[in-house]
Amino acid sequence: MNNEKRIAIVTGGSRGLGRSTVLALAARGIDSIFTYNSAVDEANKVVAAVEAAGARAIALQLDTGSVGSFDAFVGEVRRAMTSLGAERFDYLVNNAGMSDHTKFAELTEAVLDRIYAVNFKGVVFLTQKLLPILKDGGRIINISTGLTRFTTPDTIPYASLKGAIDVFTLYMAKELGRRGITVNTVAPGAIQTDFSGGTVRDNPAVNKHVASLTALGRPGVPDDIGPLVASLLSEDARWVTGQRIEASGGMNL
């Protein structure tokens, strides 16, 4: 695998952790096909940054909660891989997701269904659809959250479905081991992005509170996560599978 041009598929690659991952992969000479939901201008900026780093990237629009669109999306992926000179890809990073802070007493079926569609159902079925074109010996990283280990108010549906991702990772690692494919979870702590409306990044009180709970004394930034994901996709991590790797700076220890 190291002697060939490698390709990663990263969902939600136009901003935040996904953007950091795509750029960290580009720094290692790895091309990316990444998805964006609606921010086409931001996606184009990521493509330009990847090209400036000497790699290639193709941005494809996708609502990861719309399972009915996945067959057409896989067709787009196949065409994108052809333009990159490949028939199969090497790495899948299931990063795209949505936040939610609905109080449990106010939770509705519609809200839960949307979180489920994006944060779990979409991950399961997109992985299923892409597995036939993932190389044997490839890698899958699913993005979870520190909130499956520790709690914070008004995150029950979000954290519960990320907990399902942790279990999905474990079972997929067993299922795909015969193909030499590793499957791991990366669980970020509180990160300074626009996720959850940018609360950690933009609210000084929240930022200070998170820092007070964190052994390393600050909230995370996207580049605390992207390079970690890139390293787990490398041959250096070939013997790591079925693991939940928390990257929280030591929150709530």
Side-chain angles (χ1 to χ4, degrees):
M1 194 182 298
N2 285 338
N3 296 324
E4 303 174 359
K5 191 62 178 178
R6 291 159 292 162
I7 298 172
I9 296 177
V10 181
T11 64
S14 64
R15 60 187 181 87
L17 307 187
R19 178 183 185 277
S20 178
T21 297
V22 171
L23 295 180
L25 291 169
R28 294 169 178 247
I30 299 169
D31 295 338
S32 291
I33 300 166
F34 71 89
T35 74
Y36 65 96
N37 188 6
S38 59
V40 64
D41 291 343
E42 293 302 311
N44 289 336
K45 290 177 185 177
V46 175
V47 170
V50 168
E51 291 175 351
R56 293 183 293 175
I58 295 173
L60 300 176
Q61 195 280 330
L62 181 68
D63 176 357
T64 55
S66 179
V67 173
S69 70
F70 287 177
D71 285 333
F73 173 72
V74 172
E76 292 184 66
V77 168
R78 288 182 180 274
R79 289 187 288 274
M81 287 194 302
T82 297
S83 70
L84 294 173
E87 294 183 356
R88 293 176 179 268
F89 71 99
D90 303 88
Y91 314 123
L92 172 61
V93 182
N94 285 307
N95 166 74
M98 63 176 291
S99 66
D100 181 81
H101 296 284
T102 304
K103 295 181 182 300
F104 185 68
E106 300 170 4
L107 182 65
T108 65
E109 185 176 5
V111 169
L112 182 60
D113 284 349
R114 180 57 181 164
I115 303 166
Y116 167 69
V118 173
N119 287 1
F120 186 68
K121 182 180 177 182
V123 173
V124 169
F125 285 105
L126 186 59
T127 301
Q128 181 194 66
K129 296 288 186 181
L130 290 171
L131 276 176
I133 53 175
L134 174 63
K135 289 180 182 177
D136 290 353
R139 309 271 186 269
I140 298 173
I141 299 290
N142 298 318
I143 302 299
S144 179
T145 176
L147 296 171
T148 63
R149 177 178 65 83
F150 51 82
T151 66
T152 196
D154 303 330
T155 56
I156 287 175
Y158 173 79
S160 296
L161 289 165
K162 285 297 190 178
I165 288 293
D166 293 351
V167 176
F168 175 66
T169 294
L170 181 67
Y171 275 78
M172 289 304 295
K174 180 69 172 179
E175 176 83 10
L176 298 178
R178 62 178 178 270
R179 289 182 53 188
I181 295 170
T182 67
V183 189
N184 292 291
T185 293
V186 169
I191 308 293
Q192 300 178 79
T193 69
D194 60 2
F195 201 65
S196 293
T199 302
V200 175
R201 181 190 62 193
D202 301 332
N203 186 315
V206 172
N207 193 290
K208 183 178 180 179
H209 179 65
V210 169
S212 73
L213 299 175
T214 304
L216 294 180
R218 63 169 175 83
V221 295
D223 286 346
D224 291 325
I225 307 300
L228 169 63
V229 173
S231 70
L232 289 170
L233 296 175
S234 75
E235 283 299 296
D236 292 343
R238 64 186 177 273
W239 204 237
V240 179
T241 195
Q243 301 303 302
R244 176 191 180 277
I245 299 166
E246 184 175 311
S248 69
M251 282 191 73
N252 292 305
L253 296 181

